[in-house]
Amino acid sequence: MTGLTSNELGWMLDEVLKVPQARHAILLSADGMLRAFSKDIDRDDAERLAAGLSGVQSISRSTAEFCGTPHTPWRQTLIEFAHGYVFLVAAGEGAYLAVSTGEDVDMEAVTYRMHKLVDRLGKELTSPARQDTGSPA
């Protein structure tokens, strides 16, 4: 996957960080693979966090019946810490977007930007793979 090695979609994740107090953003797959990361987090940390957050989304989805029915679709999870938050949202088939923030962040602004970004990412994540149109060697 080119996006994994070159972080092609990283620049799109930087857009959500324009909200004051937003810190980092990563795009991950359901199996915990890092798909993209924002500019102020290094690849090793992003890969470690992607693995952990894939577990968070899995656990969150498994508790759907707590909200009424076992087939209620999961949309997002918010984790609160003493000095900040982690927002995790569905970003397409088998993809998830996570954003970390400080404690005084405008939560509504972050979630709005995340959902706008998911709309944009959806087009990128579902575009068909390029076919080699060159002549055979």
Side-chain angles (χ1 to χ4, degrees):
M1 168 187 298
T2 358
L4 179 61
T5 57
S6 67
N7 196 31
E8 284 180 7
L9 300 176
W11 68 272
M12 291 179 77
L13 301 186
D14 292 335
E15 289 296 310
V16 78
L17 301 181
K18 291 182 178 176
V19 174
Q21 296 265 328
R23 293 180 177 150
H24 308 293
I26 61 173
L27 181 66
L28 59 132
S29 64
D31 60 358
M33 297 301 296
L34 179 65
R35 306 266 321 255
F37 54 98
S38 59
K39 65 181 174 189
D40 290 333
I41 186 170
D42 68 51
R43 180 180 299 276
D44 289 343
D45 287 341
E47 286 177 348
R48 180 178 48 79
L49 291 165
L53 287 165
S54 90
V56 170
Q57 65 78 24
S58 179
I59 290 169
S60 296
R61 286 189 355 225
S62 73
T63 60
E65 66 186 274
F66 196 51
C67 287
T69 112
H71 304 293
T72 300
W74 171 83
R75 293 189 181 147
Q76 71 180 16
T77 298
L78 174 67
I79 307 166
E80 182 177 3
F81 296 95
H83 299 289
Y85 300 94
V86 174
F87 297 78
L88 181 64
V89 301
E93 188 65 34
Y96 306 95
L97 174 63
V99 173
S100 66
T101 71
E103 64 187 312
D104 295 324
V105 73
D106 179 343
M107 292 177 153
E108 186 177 352
V110 170
T111 55
Y112 175 79
R113 281 197 182 247
M114 288 179 76
H115 288 287
K116 294 304 269 182
L117 177 58
V118 164
D119 289 344
R120 289 179 62 204
L121 284 169
K123 295 175 181 100
E124 293 293 326
L125 295 174
T126 59
S127 59
R130 294 182 183 175
Q131 300 296 321
D132 184 8
T133 58
S135 60

